[in-house]
Structures are given as C-alpha cells and as structure tokens.
Amino acid sequence: MAVRILFEQELQELEKELSEMGRQAVETVKQALDAFTRHDQLLAAEIIQNDHIINEMERAVESHCLNLMLREQPVAGDLRHISMALKVVTDLERIGDHAADIAEIVLHLQDAASEQIIQVLPTMEAQVTEMLDAAVDAFVRRDRTRAQKIEAQDDAIDDNFHTVKEEAVRLLKNEQESPDKVIDLLMIAKYLERIGDHAVNVCEWTEFYDTGEVGHHRIL
C-alpha cells in the first residue's frame, strides 16, 4: 500500500509539472502576440532568450515519465496517464517554439502597424489565444466534454488562415506592401494556425486520458 501511495504522489507531481508547462506555453504565446501588436522588439528578444524554459520543462517531464515507467512498471490507467504526459509535452514544446518563431519575425518587422495590413489577423490572434487558453485549462481539469467542444473551434482558425493567404496574394499582386513584409505576416498566420493544431492535440490527449482513444481509434 505504501508503494502505491508513493506512486500516486509521483503522478500528482507529474500533473503539477504538466500544468506549469501548459500555463507557461499559453503565457509565451500571449507575450509573442503582444510583442507583435505593439511592435515591442525588446519583449520579442526576451521571448527568444527564454525559449529554453519550456524546453527544460519538456525534458524534466520526459525524464519523470521514463523514470516512473522503468521503476514502477505501470499498467492500464497508470500507463495511459504517463503516455498522455509524454504526448502533451511535445505539443506544448512546439507551441513554445512557434511563439519564439513569431518573436523572431517581430525583431525585423519595420512597420509598427503591421498587424493591420491583413485585417483578419487580429481576429485570428484572438481565436488562437482563446482556444489555447481553454485547451490547456480543459487539460489541467481533465474536462473531456469541454475538450471536445474546443476542438471544433479550429475550423474557424483554418478558415481565417485561408483568408490571410488570399489577402496576402492580393497585396503581392497589387504591390501594395513590400513582399518581405507580406511573407512575414503570412508566416505569423501560419504559426498561429499550427498553434491551433497543437491545441487540438492537447484536447485529444485530454480525451485519451479517459478513453484510451485518439480520433476514435483505441490505442491503449
């Protein structure tokens, strides 16, 4: 019994690490978009400099998971719990990378009003941050029902990304903005679209924790 209690305490500590990493990823994305909106190159440089924080969190969670698997030889629900953690940290780390990618673009954007050049971008930013925030919260709370609802929001983000691409093509054809600037804005939209995809993955792994299924396919 004492061994089981110790193992459950280890799982609780793992949950804490995952929650902290999730919140760090959300905050980093919000900071990157704030730097873009305000053309804050100092904040952008800080985000890039701090990218190692999420990377170190990922390594810590992975190490914790592998140690638990080797030491405790978990079965059934426990193995599902640990497997979910290993999957989620990968998505959270990629979200952090995309935030740093956006910050990299901010460093060489010259126009403080760049966000307004493609009018749908602010809407897309708001959608992504709201979705990511909700996805991480649903994951932390293990709210499968909410996670399923959040996944549907990705369709609107994808639609807006297509709108951004169309607007970018129009701007390039009409030579209304410099090609480099338009490409930079298109890349920011692409990173936002990818963050939305990773938020969907977080929701799917939240469901996996309860069901053992991902995309209606049982894997554990």
Side-chain angles (χ1 to χ4, degrees):
M1 181 63 72
V3 173
R4 180 64 198 180
I5 291 173
L6 180 60
F7 181 61
E8 289 178 351
Q9 289 174 344
E10 290 269 19
L11 289 178
Q12 289 174 3
E13 182 61 29
L14 180 62
E15 289 290 305
K16 182 180 177 182
E17 292 173 5
L18 283 168
S19 298
E20 289 175 353
M21 186 176 176
R23 294 189 176 98
Q24 179 66 35
V26 170
E27 182 59 27
T28 302
V29 170
K30 289 180 177 178
Q31 287 179 344
L33 293 176
D34 185 41
F36 172 50
T37 302
R38 297 191 294 110
H39 197 58
D40 189 336
Q41 294 184 324
L42 288 178
L43 178 57
E46 182 180 335
I47 291 165
I48 295 165
Q49 185 178 357
N50 291 337
D51 185 48
H52 68 92
I53 294 174
I54 291 181
N55 295 337
E56 289 168 2
M57 287 179 163
E58 180 192 28
R59 285 191 289 270
V61 171
E62 288 176 337
S63 177
H64 199 164
C65 288
L66 293 175
N67 281 328
L68 284 173
M69 293 176 74
L70 290 171
R71 201 170 66 237
E72 306 295 341
Q73 297 182 329
V75 295
D78 294 334
L79 184 57
R80 187 184 297 170
H81 192 157
I82 295 171
S83 299
M84 174 271 300
L86 284 169
K87 291 294 186 178
V88 166
V89 292
T90 300
D91 285 298
L92 294 176
E93 190 274 335
R94 292 301 297 144
I95 288 168
D97 283 348
H98 291 320
D101 290 333
I102 291 171
E104 289 273 7
I105 292 174
V106 172
L107 286 182
H108 61 256
L109 271 175
Q110 299 300 316
D111 190 348
S114 292
E115 185 194 41
Q116 301 301 323
I117 292 171
I118 296 179
Q119 295 183 359
V120 76
L121 259 180
T123 299
M124 193 176 179
E125 293 166 33
Q127 289 172 329
V128 169
T129 52
E130 179 182 350
M131 182 183 178
L132 177 59
D133 209 353
V136 169
D137 188 62
F139 167 72
V140 169
R141 299 176 187 275
R142 297 294 182 268
D143 190 337
R144 179 160 59 101
T145 300
R146 188 182 180 199
Q148 290 172 328
K149 293 178 180 178
I150 293 166
E151 289 175 43
Q153 297 176 23
D154 191 48
D155 290 340
I157 293 170
D158 289 342
D159 288 344
N160 277 329
F161 177 58
H162 289 304
T163 301
V164 170
K165 288 192 291 185
E166 291 170 356
E167 182 66 6
V169 169
R170 187 187 65 79
L171 289 169
L172 290 172
K173 283 183 175 179
N174 296 337
E175 299 182 351
Q176 291 177 248
E177 298 289 343
S178 74
D180 287 345
K181 184 183 296 183
V182 174
I183 296 299
D184 282 342
L185 296 175
L186 181 58
M187 287 305 301
I188 286 175
K190 181 59 181 176
Y191 292 136
L192 290 172
E193 188 264 343
R194 291 299 297 138
I195 290 169
D197 288 344
H198 287 296
V200 169
N201 291 347
V202 171
C203 289
E204 288 183 344
W205 291 115
T206 301
E207 295 176 56
F208 168 78
Y209 179 78
D210 279 346
T211 66
E213 295 181 355
V214 175
H216 304 297
H217 296 287
R218 177 167 288 278
I219 61 175
L220 187 62

